[in-house]
Amino acid sequence: MQNVKKNLIDKNKARAEAVSDRLKFAAAATREELFDTLGTGQEGLSDALAEESREQYGDNRITHGKKASLPERLAKAFVNPFTAILFVLAVVSAFTDIIFAEPGDADPFAVIIITTMVLASGLLRFVQETRSGHAAENLLKMIKTTTCVQRRKTGQVEIPLEDVVVGDIVHLAAGDMIPADMRIIQAKDLFISQSALTGESVAVEKTPSAVRGGRDALTEISNLAFMGSNVISGSALGVVAATGNDTIFGEMAQHVTHKPVKTSFEKGVNTVSWLLIRFMLVMVPFVLFINGFTKGDWMEAALFALAVAVGLTPEMLPMIVTACLAKGAVAMSREKTIIKNLNSIQNIGSIDILCTDKTGTLTQDKVVLMYHLNIHGQEDARVLRHAFLNSYYQTGLRNLMDIAIIERTQSAQDGVEDLRGLADRYTKVDEIPFDFERRRMSVVVTNGKTQVITKGAVEEMLSVCAFAEYEGKVRPLTDDIRAYILKKVGELNEDGMRVIAVAQKHNPSPVGAFSVADESEMVLMGYLAFLDPPKESTAKAITTLNEYGVAVKILTGDNDKVTRTVCRQVGIPVDRILLGSDLDGMSDEALGKVAEEVSVFAKLSPQQKARVITALRSKGHSVGYLGDGINDAAAMKASDVGISVDTAVDIAKESADVILLEKDLMVLEKGLVEGRKTYANMIKYIKMTASSNFGNMFSVLVASAFLPFIPMMAIHILILNLIYDLSCTAIPWDNVDKEYLAKPKKWDSTSVSKFMLWIGPTSSVFDISTYALMFFVICPAMVGGHMWHEITDPATQAYFIAVFQAGWFIESMWTQTLVIHMLRTPKIPFLQSRASLPLTLLTFAGIVLLTIIPFTGFGTSVGLAALPMAFFWWLALTVFLYMVLVSIFKGIFVKKYGELL
């Protein structure tokens, strides 16, 4: 076995060294040497060559550690503190009931019951976790991430990341994920974030020049880009040198077992679990010694203590939580909301502030070019022509405005000039890609004369222009002309138009390649005005989100005047707009206070968006961020819940916890409601279990201290617990009150302890009253009116005990099961709020089954006796008073702490 392991390690090491050598060769080789070695060319691979490459080098898929086998997953379902406790108790019961029992008295029934509980808990959890895993896998398959490659015959084509092969020529632009390890062969201002690999947050520049003889680490080589990193700005061509597990990222994934960070909810569930276990561990010795000393039968006391331990162990908790998450994820997918991490569901329900970009969320995301104007506000075909050349020839981050410009130009019927053949008359020389700091991009074209054409945000364009085409002449850009331009732009903004400026410069004289430095001394030509109208559903969606306790805040890089107009149209208050320039002078503390009051933030950089979200979180808010661009990735990572859409750029989808299949606030609202439903049903079971166990603790202590016999045999507690647990398995499918869904829900472990201390003892009151009823009224009536101390006949004493235990057996099931209906809602159960049909049927089936048992031969065999009809009148009164008392305490609890669950 050791030799096999050593051979495997040696084989993996040799493979890693071979891949490292391949990457070093790729870094040092000329383009021709690289193409020749990898069997590719400038036109990319043919489909046949791509298949050959896949067979030789493998798929572009990462193996994140070894996938758990069926036996491993089955074993994991049984490995938790609760089943471990039950297993120990089963072993103890085997010794006390079978191995050490007197000949002929061996009774395996307790072992069978405990084993059944272990199997039920483990198998149900296994089934739910398998469903949960399949649901997560199927949901993730719905999220498509693609990359643009060059293939022979088809040219540029978008393919799924996993279909990329060694030798593929990949086109990269801002926002793209690097699909594999590759050598950069052409680049323009290419900056890449490698933080996922190196931990370094600063983007690094990549260049196409060959790097020979260097001893740098692979990630420091300037012409190599790696899977797991992403393009911050610029554009490039790269040739793939390693895919899948051969990549550096793939090698890291094989050696690192990544455990996701636990959410506050997971930590809270663990806290409650161990609290209940500690209760049980403290209670059992007390019960053992009190019964041992007062009753004298230590074996019976031990069996009773063991049964109490089983009764106080919430073995169904892991299964209930898993079932809730799986059911919630599937329900949310039906509402077009995909959960990447199931444990994030609770975080969705806790959101009380949703921050979102304006474009595509509030608006239709269908930008239309309305006007192409000179600086006097007059239609000008030259402005459209230059804008078209800029949009058509750029290869970087092409947005909706570029598409609108191209569509308008190609369908132009202006009567001034035929623009449809424009691209054929010009040749592209170079480009300077867009980035979110400059907020502009340039192309260099020639048709006999070389020309730089730049378009971008008006303020940024004015900063690089020294001249303007004013009254038909090129004039210096004076302060008066600048003010005139801003006034015209402002008028368009007031009408809800998004405006960008177009400028040009003839015969630039660059040193080497064109760069950002060439964006200077330019001539402003005019503006492009776009309309992106609000969605019809936006105003209703915002109102609905507000009704659900979620405040909507707009964080946009767009102009404040356009933002103000759109926000007014959809009902977002815009009494005050905070600009990015305002943030720069604020401390984090001051920003936190202002951010709570302001609903609209405009002209923000990506880092400023993240800072606003961090400031809101520091004030105790749970913040979600909805975005789809590269400029949104930092904000999503800073938020409690990052939300993106399936059409987003790669890095946005990678940063998100939740993916919407439709970019609409109404879709998010439905997903948010499903998240709250999921959390509601989980917290129901947790609080019910905690309070029920706490109440049972008091009841058992009182019974142990004051009764002259064991109040219930071990086997009774085990049967009771088994059937009760099975009736709880329908809780994940329970209904949730609309009022509960109206407010964000945060995990609060203190609320569980408060609930336990307030509600738990109410059941003890009626357990104790049932003791008194059975001991002083029902049992004496069944034995000729004799009290316990008057009975000397062992058979009569046994019958007295059997009747007593049957009474508490039935009362326990009635109260413990009805408490599910009582505590699942602050309203009056059955009348104002009804449980789901599955939960109702299971709980009442459990009550009926337990009530019948004492009247059957099976009941007699386990030491129970039939009860008189008078008992059920008393039971009805007890249950009624119990429901009244719980209702009173629920009201007090809600009044004191604000909510029940």
Side-chain angles (χ1 to χ4, degrees), residues 554-770:
I554 304 303
L555 275 59
T556 181
D558 206 351
N559 182 291
D560 55 314
K561 291 182 180 178
V562 177
T563 304
R564 185 188 300 274
T565 301
V566 173
C567 288
R568 280 176 176 164
Q569 291 172 337
V570 299
I572 295 177
V574 283
D575 299 331
R576 179 182 178 187
I577 294 181
L578 205 63
L579 303 180
S581 55
D582 300 328
L583 266 65
D584 293 335
M586 287 186 177
S587 66
D588 291 340
E589 179 65 26
L591 177 58
K593 292 179 181 178
V594 174
E596 288 184 302
E597 301 168 359
V598 176
S599 296
V600 183
F601 301 78
K603 299 185 73 174
L604 298 182
S605 69
Q607 290 72 28
Q608 288 173 328
K609 289 182 180 182
R611 190 178 169 216
V612 171
I613 288 170
T614 302
L616 288 168
R617 291 183 67 193
S618 70
K619 291 295 183 180
H621 295 285
S622 182
V623 184
Y625 184 85
L626 172 59
D628 64 352
I630 184 176
N631 57 329
D632 297 316
M636 280 192 276
K637 288 181 179 178
S639 66
D640 291 284
V641 184
I643 307 164
S644 191
V645 292
D646 64 339
T647 56
V649 298
D650 301 343
I651 186 59
K653 287 190 282 188
E654 185 70 19
S655 303
D657 303 299
V658 179
I659 304 290
L660 304 182
L661 298 182
E662 187 177 318
K663 193 174 182 182
D664 192 328
L665 288 179
M666 290 301 290
V667 172
L668 179 60
E669 174 260 321
K670 292 175 182 176
L672 181 143
V673 170
E674 287 297 334
R676 291 184 185 175
K677 285 182 181 177
T678 301
Y679 173 73
N681 286 329
M682 287 191 288
I683 201 68
K684 279 178 195 176
Y685 181 77
I686 290 169
K687 287 192 171 183
M688 288 173 193
T689 301
S691 62
S692 177
N693 285 10
F694 190 66
N696 289 342
M697 180 179 71
F698 281 110
S699 302
V700 169
L701 284 174
V702 170
S704 300
F706 296 103
L707 287 175
F709 48 81
I710 297 291
M712 196 183 292
M713 290 172 62
I715 192 64
H716 303 157
I717 295 179
L718 295 176
I719 294 171
L720 180 68
N721 205 48
L722 174 63
I723 295 177
Y724 170 76
D725 281 345
L726 291 176
S727 68
C728 287
T729 57
I731 287 178
W733 289 267
D734 189 23
N735 300 326
V736 179
D737 293 339
K738 290 183 179 180
E739 293 81 359
Y740 185 86
L741 301 176
K743 293 181 180 179
K745 304 297 175 185
K746 288 185 179 180
W747 171 259
D748 180 8
S749 58
T750 61
S751 73
V752 177
S753 57
K754 291 170 186 173
F755 189 92
M756 183 173 66
L757 293 171
W758 273 82
I759 306 298
T762 57
S763 64
S764 298
V765 172
F766 293 96
D767 283 338
I768 294 168
S769 70
T770 301

Side-chain angles (χ1 to χ4, degrees), residues 329-344:
V330 172
M332 292 176 79
S333 71
R334 295 194 191 104
E335 302 296 347
K336 301 181 181 180
T337 303
I338 307 303
I339 304 298
K340 287 174 64 179
N341 177 5
L342 292 182
N343 289 318
S344 299

Side-chain angles (χ1 to χ4, degrees), residues 375 461-462 464-470 473-478 481 485 503-505 520-525:
I375 63 174
M461 292 296 294
L462 286 172
V464 297
C465 288
F467 306 94
E469 294 184 359
Y470 187 77
K473 297 180 181 179
V474 175
R475 297 188 178 183
L477 185 59
T478 63
I481 294 178
I485 291 168
Q504 58 86 25
K505 180 169 71 171
S520 61
E521 301 292 314
M522 303 198 75
V523 180
L524 188 71
M525 299 178 64

Side-chain angles (χ1 to χ4, degrees), residues 125 149 164 269 293 301 360-361 529 553 582 701 740 748 773 778:
R125 186 182 182 191
V149 301
V164 171
V269 171
F293 285 118
T361 305
K553 295 183 182 291
D582 300 328
L701 284 174
Y740 185 86
D748 180 8
L773 171 69
I778 301 295

